[in-house]
């Protein structure tokens, strides 16, 4: 369906990124300032972000106080197979956690396939819904496939069966004895 007219909506032809040659680029703080949302109460905004690997530097540069303006984040994370970037990816996820976000839902994008490393299988691009109002789970678990989940690429099989946690049966014997 075409976009609906919204009297209170304003489109800004700018890229959310720290650098985008030849285009108007804003940091997350600049985007919030330009949209006159800097003074809104914490946890009053929602952000949907799909900026093809630009999410990592954008979130890494954002202040935790700025991230707290949002109650929910819907982000498509890209480049998960790039193991040399995993330390940076971890920094971003730790920042989101310190800003109070918890993972509410995960869905793999079936356009780009999966990344495998030993026991782990992840989509190369993954859609994650984070919510600051959720309680913290006692422990992490592999994501569930929900009834509302659908393949991004219609006609292709969706990515199910992501495996993100080590199985105690698969750990080396010495690791089993040291696990608390």
């Amino acid at each position: 369906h075409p976009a609906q007219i919204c009297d209170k909506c304003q489109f800004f032809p700018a890229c959310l990124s720290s650098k985008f040659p030849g285009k108007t680029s804003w940091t997350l703080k600049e985007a919030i300032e330009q949209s006159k949302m800097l003074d809104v109460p914490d946890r009053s905004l929602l952000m949907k972000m799909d900026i093809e690997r630009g999410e990592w530097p954008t979130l890494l540069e954002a202040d935790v106080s700025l991230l707290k303006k949002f109650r929910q984040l819907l982000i498509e994370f890209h480049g998960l197979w790039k193991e040399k970037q995993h330390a940076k990816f971890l920094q971003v996820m730790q920042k989101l956690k310190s800003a109070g976000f918890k993972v509410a839902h995960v869905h793999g994008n079936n356009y780009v396939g999966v990344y495998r490393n030993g026991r782990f299988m992840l989509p190369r691009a993954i859609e994650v819904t984070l919510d600051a109002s959720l309680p913290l789970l006692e422990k992490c678990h592999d994501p569930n496939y929900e009834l509302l989940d659908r393949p991004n690429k219609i006609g292709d099989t969706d990515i199910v069966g992501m495996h993100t946690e080590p199985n105690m049966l698969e750990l080396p014997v010495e690791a089993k004895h040291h696990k608390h």
Side-chain angles (χ1 to χ4, degrees):
H1 298 297
Q4 301 296 311
I5 295 173
C6 173
D7 293 335
K8 295 181 181 179
C9 299
Q10 185 176 1
F11 177 75
F12 296 93
C15 300
L16 185 60
S17 174
S18 56
K19 299 174 188 121
F20 204 99
K23 302 282 183 183
T24 300
S25 297
W26 292 339
T27 63
L28 183 57
K29 183 178 182 181
E30 290 169 333
I32 291 173
E33 287 171 344
Q34 291 293 329
S35 61
K36 298 181 178 37
M37 296 287 170
L38 196 56
D39 294 327
V40 300
D42 284 358
R43 305 300 184 210
S44 63
L45 298 177
L46 171 119
M47 177 170 51
K48 183 174 190 294
M49 180 186 289
D50 182 359
I51 54 176
E52 309 303 321
R53 286 191 242 154
E55 65 277 6
W56 300 110
T58 298
L59 293 168
L60 193 59
E61 293 172 5
D63 289 331
V64 169
S65 62
L66 187 67
L67 292 171
K68 288 182 178 183
K69 295 286 182 191
F70 298 93
R71 191 188 120 204
Q72 289 186 336
L73 304 173
L74 296 88
I75 303 171
E76 185 168 77
F77 290 104
H78 302 84
L80 299 176
W81 69 95
K82 295 181 176 259
E83 292 187 23
K84 290 181 180 178
Q85 298 292 312
H86 283 184
K88 179 169 71 170
F89 298 168
L90 179 60
Q91 282 182 291
V92 169
M93 298 312 290
Q94 288 171 331
K95 179 178 274 193
L96 292 172
K97 183 180 177 187
S98 71
F101 291 100
K102 293 103 181 166
V103 174
H105 185 68
V106 174
H107 179 256
N109 183 326
N110 69 334
Y111 263 98
V112 291
V114 297
Y115 156 73
R116 295 177 193 274
N117 184 336
R119 301 181 302 273
F120 300 96
M121 180 188 88
L122 292 173
R124 290 174 172 252
I126 191 165
E127 301 158 349
V128 180
T129 302
L130 299 124
D131 192 318
S133 68
L134 292 177
L136 190 62
L137 293 177
E138 288 184 27
K139 78 175 212 100
C140 292
H141 59 82
D142 285 340
N144 298 323
Y145 190 79
E146 304 292 337
L147 291 175
L148 292 176
D149 285 331
R150 296 287 182 268
N152 298 73
K153 188 175 183 183
I154 306 299
D156 281 7
T157 304
D158 210 357
I159 297 173
V160 295
M162 286 181 264
H163 186 60
T164 59
E165 63 177 319
N167 182 329
M168 284 299 289
L169 298 174
E170 298 171 355
L171 290 175
V173 174
E174 59 274 2
K176 288 183 190 178
H177 297 296
H178 292 91
K179 181 109 173 153
H180 296 284

